[in-house]
Amino acid sequence: MGLKEKSSDLRRRMRNALKGGGDKAIEKQKAIGKLTARERILAIVDTKSFYEYDLFVEHAAKDFDMDKKYLPGDGVITGTGTINGHPVCIYAQDFTVAGGSLGWMHAKKITKIMDHALKLKVPLIGINDSGGARIQEGVNSLAGYGEIFFRNTLASGVIPQISVILGPCAGGAVYSPALTDFVFVVDKISKMFITGPEVIKTVIGEDISMEELGGARVHCETTGNAHFYAESEEMCFSQIKQLVSYIPWNNARKAERFPKKPPKTRQYKLDDILPSDPKHPYDVRDVIRAICDDSEFLESQELFAQNIVVGFARIDGQSVGIVANQPLVMAGVLDVDSSDKAARFIRYCDAFNIPLVTLVDLPGYLPGVDQEHAGVIRHGAKVLYAYSEATVPKITVILRKAYGGGYIAMCSHHLRADFVFAWPLAEIAVMGPEGAANIIFRKEIMSAEKPDKVREQKVEEYRAKFANPYVAAAFGYIDAVIEPDETRKMLIHALDISAEKKISMPPKKHGIPPF
Ligand code: HXC
């Protein structure tokens, strides 16, 4: 055979492999709103930037008639491409081929592209759509998962790892996404669970649908396993592209700087956002939009533990991670879930050189038997740990309340914030005036002729003395008390001046965070 014949043989082989599971299986996917694995990759990466590898990999399994089955690409597509011009390694499981199930060679393709990503120091995107371990391949499938989990862990904090759940992600398959940085899900398409409805019915007799057990909303609202929720695959891909624009390719780089843009101050006026009554709530996302470039904010875990808001924005063109208490939900308290959410995000930003901007307005940690028994001590400690070990620039603005443990935890100077600013409305104290007065003046209040009147007086006395930023400022715990409309200017300056910040921590193998 000459080159011409060899080339035509290559094209024939490629056509064969590119068919995936065939027209019928593809139609079944399309009928439920799913794109094919290749279409998904092409929709995420820049046009004409995708290069596929290992198209001709085949499984070598023999049992259960597997030796008679041709599984194109062994059910997974792997390759490299660019997003907004930046390189990425990417793989997508192909459900049309044996349900995207993971056999040994399928796993080898994934681990090979993971090794590339780690060696070349570029982000890794994994699109999951699979029935889990390929049952016919037995322990080799389990071995494949183990190899993936190990690499996910090695790559953690070195390169960004993004998981996209676009179909079933069942059994052991869930643990790779769980080990990665961000999990994207799509309504009615994503389904994630360790044991499915049938097993649950058999083992404990509970009836539940796949959607109710592990659908997109469940993982965004209830479990917190997913970070970004979309109504369609297209919307999901545009979220991925947005996220990638805020983060660096690897932990040795900084995120790309964008041209600076002013916030949309006609729409978001800081002076109008905060209500005059300190007890009234407001949406802290309006404050974020009032200080960030173009008022753009990419919120992570928007539907989970909504009493804290975390996400990415730019200030003067520079990517920042924002952590903000949300007075609109449970007065912005820290509890088990919001502590987990904040701590993980803080660690992400620290690992990838993204400065942290913290906006504080909270009455403290949430009291209650449920919280105590759910381990609020352990979970709450994660926030202290994450802020304390973070060495990126840390800038804190106390908007209103900063009481008790909440004051310390939300990136105070004591956890080595570089700058702490407070608005004139800030109240910084061990606890709120009502609680404080009831404790320290209890005897006086109880023995008074008119206890309510005395209580009111004492609350006012306490408020006048402590519920302001000046006591903390007098000790130097606040660097500057600023007018709200000076916030962006102060943040820009603080970020500029901290650009070369370098801190070395005591030598250790690693710390032991309160996981
Ligand atoms: C081999 C599989 C498979 C699997 C699906 N298929 N899952 N083949 N191993 N795990 C095959 C089916 O046989 C079928 O092949 C094709 O993929 C499409 O599957 P369907 O069932 O027809 O599709 P659908 O009705 O959409 O249902 C999808 C599903 C279901 C819900 C994912 O297939 C399912 O429940 N699969 C098993 C899920 C599971 O229990 N996985 C856990 C494995 S144990 P044909 O040839 O008919 O087209 C595990 C532990 C790992 O993962 C632990 C690591 C730590």
Side-chain angles (χ1 to χ4, degrees):
M1 256 200 272
L3 177 61
K4 218 167 155 195
E5 290 79 13
K6 292 252 180 193
S7 295
S8 117
D9 177 53
L10 167 66
R11 283 196 296 275
R12 183 190 54 77
R13 283 169 188 268
M14 284 178 77
R15 271 197 306 275
N16 216 13
L18 290 170
K19 271 190 211 153
D23 293 343
K24 233 173 140 189
I26 293 172
E27 260 169 49
K28 202 175 153 193
Q29 295 297 289
K30 297 268 170 180
I32 47 174
K34 290 166 75 175
L35 294 174
T36 66
R38 240 175 229 99
E39 284 169 346
R40 285 165 170 171
I41 292 181
L42 296 179
I44 294 176
V45 300
D46 298 335
T47 311
K48 295 195 174 161
S49 75
F50 181 60
Y51 294 87
E52 182 171 344
Y53 314 116
D54 291 337
L55 178 64
F56 300 125
V57 160
E58 289 187 35
H59 72 85
K62 293 191 175 60
D63 297 333
F64 304 103
D65 284 341
M66 283 296 283
D67 48 348
K68 298 189 188 73
K69 281 193 184 158
Y70 166 57
L71 303 180
D74 208 29
V76 63
I77 294 155
T78 60
T80 52
T82 60
I83 296 181
N84 311 326
H86 296 314
V88 293
C89 287
I90 189 161
Y91 70 84
Q93 293 179 306
D94 184 351
F95 194 84
T96 67
V97 177
S101 57
L102 184 138
W104 177 243
M105 292 310 290
H106 178 120
K108 287 268 278 190
K109 278 181 76 168
I110 294 177
T111 52
K112 188 169 159 191
I113 202 72
M114 291 177 87
D115 288 340
H116 269 309
L118 192 52
K119 191 171 57 193
L120 308 176
K121 300 273 187 294
V122 300
L124 174 77
I125 300 177
I127 302 175
N128 294 255
D129 186 2
S130 161
R134 189 174 295 153
I135 296 161
Q136 299 92 324
E137 293 202 30
V139 72
N140 269 335
S141 315
L142 303 183
Y145 275 121
E147 295 292 331
I148 292 172
F149 303 158
F150 178 74
R151 283 167 177 81
N152 283 136
T153 309
L154 278 195
S156 180
V158 183
I159 52 167
Q161 297 186 84
I162 292 169
S163 296
V164 198
I165 314 298
L166 294 180
C169 181
V174 297
Y175 284 114
S176 176
L179 288 165
T180 61
D181 307 330
F182 295 103
V183 177
F184 288 73
V185 288
V186 175
D187 190 35
K188 297 190 184 68
I189 290 179
S190 315
K191 286 166 188 74
M192 261 179 118
F193 39 76
I194 293 187
T195 49
E198 277 176 38
V199 178
I200 292 182
K201 173 89 183 146
T202 315
V203 179
I204 44 176
E206 278 176 2
D207 263 320
I208 188 153
S209 71
M210 249 194 237
E211 194 64 35
E212 287 168 317
L213 178 66
R217 279 209 96 84
V218 169
H219 286 303
C220 287
E221 287 173 1
T222 312
T223 67
N225 287 330
H227 301 80
F228 293 95
Y229 172 86
E231 268 152 24
S232 65
E233 295 202 12
E234 287 72 18
M235 187 178 166
C236 169
F237 302 149
S238 109
Q239 289 173 340
I240 294 170
K241 287 182 215 182
Q242 239 185 309
L243 172 67
V244 170
S245 79
Y246 285 104
I247 60 181
W249 312 351
N250 60 51
N251 67 349
R253 286 180 166 252
K254 286 187 178 177
E256 186 187 349
R257 206 164 177 140
F258 277 63
K260 52 182 123 172
K261 284 185 181 171
K264 295 177 178 151
T265 39
R266 270 202 204 160
Q267 220 170 321
Y268 303 102
K269 283 196 183 78
L270 279 177
D271 285 345
D272 297 345
I273 296 169
L274 245 71
S276 48
D277 184 336
K279 287 198 187 112
H280 280 188
Y282 60 93
D283 190 342
V284 77
R285 288 172 297 194
D286 290 340
V287 175
I288 297 170
R289 292 194 182 101
I291 56 179
C292 291
D293 288 16
D294 211 22
S295 300
E296 255 184 48
F297 177 52
L298 179 66
E299 189 171 349
S300 175
Q301 293 194 300
E302 186 181 347
L303 302 171
F304 178 68
Q306 294 180 31
N307 38 333
I308 204 148
V309 169
V310 301
F312 298 102
R314 288 187 192 93
I315 295 181
D316 219 31
Q318 179 171 355
S319 221
V320 292
I322 300 208
V323 181
N325 308 117
Q326 173 58 291
L328 212 53
V329 180
M330 295 156 71
V333 285
L334 279 172
D335 61 359
V336 166
D337 285 341
S338 64
S339 296
D340 279 6
K341 173 173 163 182
R344 191 181 153 88
F345 183 75
I346 294 161
R347 296 196 92 199
Y348 182 84
C349 292
D350 187 46
F352 288 100
N353 313 312
I354 300 171
L356 284 160
V357 172
T358 303
L359 305 178
V360 186
D361 187 349
L362 83 165
Y365 281 94
L366 179 64
V369 179
D370 282 355
Q371 283 294 307
E372 294 292 342
H373 288 185
V376 70
I377 296 176
R378 172 166 48 94
H379 293 283
K382 292 177 192 176
V383 182
L384 302 170
Y385 196 104
Y387 271 129
S388 298
E389 72 167 355
T391 58
V392 287
K394 299 187 279 195
I395 303 150
T396 302
V397 185
I398 302 177
L399 311 181
R400 209 167 55 168
K401 294 188 219 82
Y403 287 134
Y407 156 72
I408 309 169
M410 292 303 292
C411 206
S412 59
H413 257 307
H414 323 294
L415 308 188
R416 302 296 179 269
D418 298 295
F419 295 97
V420 179
F421 306 125
W423 287 1
L425 289 170
E427 300 177 7
I428 302 157
V430 173
M431 58 172 72
E434 285 80 7
N438 272 336
I439 294 173
I440 54 180
F441 303 114
R442 187 171 40 206
K443 280 190 197 131
E444 274 174 84
I445 293 171
M446 301 266 276
S447 58
E449 238 174 72
K450 293 184 175 160
D452 286 349
K453 198 162 174 230
V454 175
R455 181 180 295 115
E456 219 171 277
Q457 269 170 9
K458 293 295 175 192
V459 166
E460 266 325 299
E461 233 174 77
Y462 187 89
R463 177 169 286 129
K465 173 84 185 127
F466 290 116
N468 62 62
Y470 302 106
V471 180
F475 285 105
Y477 301 146
I478 305 291
D479 298 300
V481 181
I482 60 169
E483 297 281 356
D485 65 7
E486 290 177 296
T487 309
R488 181 172 155 93
K489 186 183 78 181
M490 298 299 279
L491 288 173
I492 292 174
H493 180 66
L495 286 164
D496 281 348
I497 208 161
S498 337
E500 298 300 318
K501 180 182 175 188
K502 280 207 173 56
I503 299 259
S504 47
M505 301 294 265
K508 54 179 146 179
K509 188 173 172 194
H510 55 68
I512 303 152
F515 278 171

